[in-house]
Amino acid sequence: MVHFVGAGPGAVDLITVRGLRLLKEADVIVYAGSLVNPQLLGSRREGCEVHNSAYMTLEEVIEVMADAWRKGRKVVRLHTGDPAIYGAIKEQMDALDREGIPYEVCPGVSSFCAAAAALKEEYTLPEVSQSVIITRMAGRTPVPKRETVRSFAAHQATMVIFLSTGLLRELSKELIEGGYPEDTPAAVVYKATWPEEKVCRCTVGALADTAEAEGITKTALIIVGRFLDGDYQRSRLYDPAFTTEFRKGSED
Ligand code: SAH
């Protein structure tokens, strides 16, 4: 069995209990060296073989996993955050399917959750935004035309932008031309949960200058939306007047 495991956003104790168990049992670990905290490898058993996929092609990764599986060895493919978000796991799962190799996926704490925790904010505030748009600017990986930042900006919902720290001037322009007022609150969250974490609050119009002033050029999330300015309606769920499945309110 091959296990795709979410390593979490950085801090070694933010991998799941299951993920850590799989890591400890692995005979072979292939980890995404560009972002996975290498300290996690400290949990491996003696004699465990380790490969850094940052230096490998998809074909090489599959070869290592297939070879280990044929020898009856336990394989962990360690991805940063949650593997389902910009993890490029689909192509690996399809290749394993073609080879008839079984696999499972163990979810992880995505960096977009870690960023909310670092900000001490809630993405979904009543009457402010009830939706979170996760997207990116087109880079070397294109984004389908119907999914431009500009078109999503029209909703003025909460937006989390991955993989775009090098494109902040273009990003600001897209956000503003798409519909967010220039003074909409925003944040640049760098390496959430790592010791070098930085949380910089700013506005949509000031994203590029803020990142530049802090020397942030990669491994950051851009967070946008009025949820950041702290104005909202309290939830109905915990309102004394409101009856729920579990509690009778004063209204009834
Ligand atoms: N699967 C990962 C995302 C991989 S894409 C997840 O769920 O988080 C890599 C991008 O994720 C980076 O360019 C950056 O935008 C973001 N990222 C990953 N870890 C981060 C962290 N600890 N803090 C801020 N951004 C992070």
Side-chain angles (χ1 to χ4, degrees):
M1 177 74 78
V2 172
H3 290 274
F4 291 91
V5 175
V12 283
D13 55 352
L14 281 175
I15 189 169
T16 64
V17 174
R18 183 187 299 181
L20 186 60
R21 177 177 58 75
L22 292 168
L23 203 59
K24 284 179 173 167
E25 290 172 0
D27 301 303
V28 177
I29 298 170
V30 184
Y31 75 107
S34 55
L35 274 175
V36 167
N37 188 338
Q39 279 182 27
L40 274 169
L41 301 173
S43 305
R44 70 184 187 273
R45 359 178 256 99
E46 224 186 278
C48 173
E49 190 183 305
V50 176
H51 298 265
N52 180 350
S53 63
Y55 300 109
M56 299 162 78
T57 62
L58 170 63
E59 287 71 15
E60 288 165 345
V61 168
I62 299 300
E63 180 59 35
V64 165
M65 296 200 286
D67 184 56
W69 180 77
R70 283 186 206 109
K71 292 177 178 146
R73 304 171 85 189
K74 290 184 189 159
V75 182
V76 163
R77 174 70 170 110
L78 196 58
H79 280 272
T80 178
D82 182 87
I85 310 267
Y86 305 113
I89 58 164
K90 181 68 176 164
E91 60 194 27
Q92 299 174 63
M93 296 190 291
D94 284 348
L96 294 179
D97 280 340
R98 284 193 293 272
E99 307 253 350
I101 299 173
Y103 53 83
E104 276 185 356
V105 183
C106 173
V109 177
S110 177
S111 58
F112 84 89
C113 300
L119 284 158
K120 301 194 178 83
E121 295 287 4
E122 178 177 347
Y123 287 140
T124 51
L125 290 178
E127 293 178 42
V128 176
S129 176
Q130 291 288 288
S131 314
V132 183
I133 296 169
I134 290 174
T135 189
R136 62 169 298 169
M137 291 285 276
R140 281 193 294 177
T141 303
V143 169
K145 276 204 176 65
R146 58 187 181 276
E147 294 182 20
T148 58
V149 164
R150 185 186 294 240
S151 66
F152 288 142
H155 300 282
Q156 293 193 46
T158 298
M159 203 186 291
V160 179
I161 302 135
F162 282 73
L163 294 160
S164 304
T165 321
L167 297 164
L168 294 185
R169 291 205 193 274
E170 296 90 317
L171 175 63
S172 274
K173 193 164 168 275
E174 288 290 295
L175 290 167
I176 294 164
E177 289 180 3
Y180 290 98
E182 194 171 337
D183 63 355
T184 305
V188 181
V189 180
Y190 170 74
K191 292 199 97 172
T193 80
W194 290 74
E196 56 272 40
E197 170 185 295
K198 278 186 192 171
V199 178
C200 313
R201 287 175 181 259
C202 59
T203 59
V204 166
L207 281 168
D209 289 343
T210 304
E212 215 169 280
E214 293 290 338
I216 299 171
T217 56
K218 58 177 193 172
T219 327
L221 288 173
I222 308 307
I223 321 274
V224 175
R226 279 193 304 119
F227 77 99
L228 283 165
D229 72 13
D231 218 6
Y232 63 98
Q233 293 299 313
R234 64 175 278 179
S235 74
R236 306 281 323 263
L237 189 60
Y238 297 105
D239 184 332
F242 194 64
T243 296
T244 72
E245 193 185 340
F246 303 102
R247 182 173 60 76
K248 190 168 163 44
S250 57
E251 224 168 40
D252 290 286

